[in-house]
Amino acid sequence: MPTQGSAHTPAGELDARYSSALNPRPGAAEVTATEWAEAQRQLEGAEIFWLSTVRSDGRLHVTPVIAAWYEGVLYFSTGPQEQKARNLAHDAHCALTTGGNSLTEGLDLVVEGTAVRVEDPAVVEGMIGAYEAKYGAHITSPEGTFHGIGDAIRKGDVATFAVAPSTAYGFGRDGGVYTHTRWAF
């Protein structure tokens, strides 16, 4: 079960076909791959992710989730009977996506991997701590949207999944200068 990400920092590879390197504009001459440290910083700070899974009949299912980057792995949770949990039981391959909606600024990220159900109490506690540190009052306050999720996870009423990246992509936009970076783990 992947409870920790890769021990090495993946090198980013710029795909010039989808970057400003082939369509030069001011500032694009020196376009380079996005550093993994920047992608990881964005993963740590992103509040909403879009989880893509596949239904048993092959249709896609995409839904927003909260997730925490903890020890090199993205963690998210869901009810064990929800569609995404049923999809992952049949095919654990998935993608978590986050980013912005601006055409000229930001960094969109796609993390592909295999979702593994987390049941180790020490890992569960670490993940809950990461959730609480990241989402604060949304989880810790009685008025919070996700208040009580930690206890529900501990009791097994909520399923927790870990996705260690197998491949990740970054689609950067900086004043109209575009980059497409691929990281392999």
Side-chain angles (χ1 to χ4, degrees):
M1 171 176 93
T3 57
Q4 188 168 334
S6 173
H8 76 284
T9 301
E13 178 184 336
L14 182 72
D15 189 335
R17 296 173 302 167
Y18 307 110
S19 300
S20 292
L22 289 184
N23 187 13
R25 54 189 62 178
E30 295 84 30
V31 70
T32 60
T34 302
E35 294 292 327
W36 178 246
E38 174 59 18
Q40 187 172 329
R41 188 180 72 73
Q42 295 284 334
L43 291 171
E44 290 168 352
E47 293 183 347
I48 296 293
F49 291 80
W50 291 90
L51 174 66
S52 299
T53 59
V54 180
R55 297 172 193 263
S56 59
D57 65 4
R59 291 180 299 134
L60 293 176
H61 180 258
V62 181
T63 188
V65 296
I66 62 172
W69 181 259
Y70 173 65
E71 294 187 347
V73 177
L74 269 172
Y75 290 89
F76 67 93
S77 56
T78 184
Q81 296 306 313
E82 289 189 33
Q83 185 66 54
K84 53 190 161 287
R86 293 194 317 262
N87 294 349
L88 292 170
H90 129 75
D91 183 348
H93 294 95
C94 64
L96 286 146
T97 308
T98 192
N101 61 1
S102 169
L103 185 59
T104 59
E105 301 298 329
L107 178 63
D108 296 330
L109 295 165
V110 177
V111 174
E112 296 178 346
T114 302
V116 176
R117 181 91 182 252
V118 178
E119 295 174 332
D120 179 310
V123 176
V124 167
E125 285 305 317
M127 176 270 183
I128 291 169
Y131 259 30
E132 289 174 348
K134 181 175 186 176
Y135 293 103
H138 292 291
I139 290 178
T140 60
S141 169
E143 293 78 32
T145 304
F146 300 103
H147 182 259
I149 194 169
D151 288 336
I153 292 169
R154 285 181 191 99
K155 290 191 280 185
D157 295 340
V158 174
T160 301
F161 292 91
V163 179
S166 57
T167 306
Y169 299 92
F171 303 92
R173 298 168 309 285
D174 183 10
V177 176
Y178 299 93
T179 60
H180 175 185
T181 304
R182 178 182 185 273
W183 300 276
F185 294 82

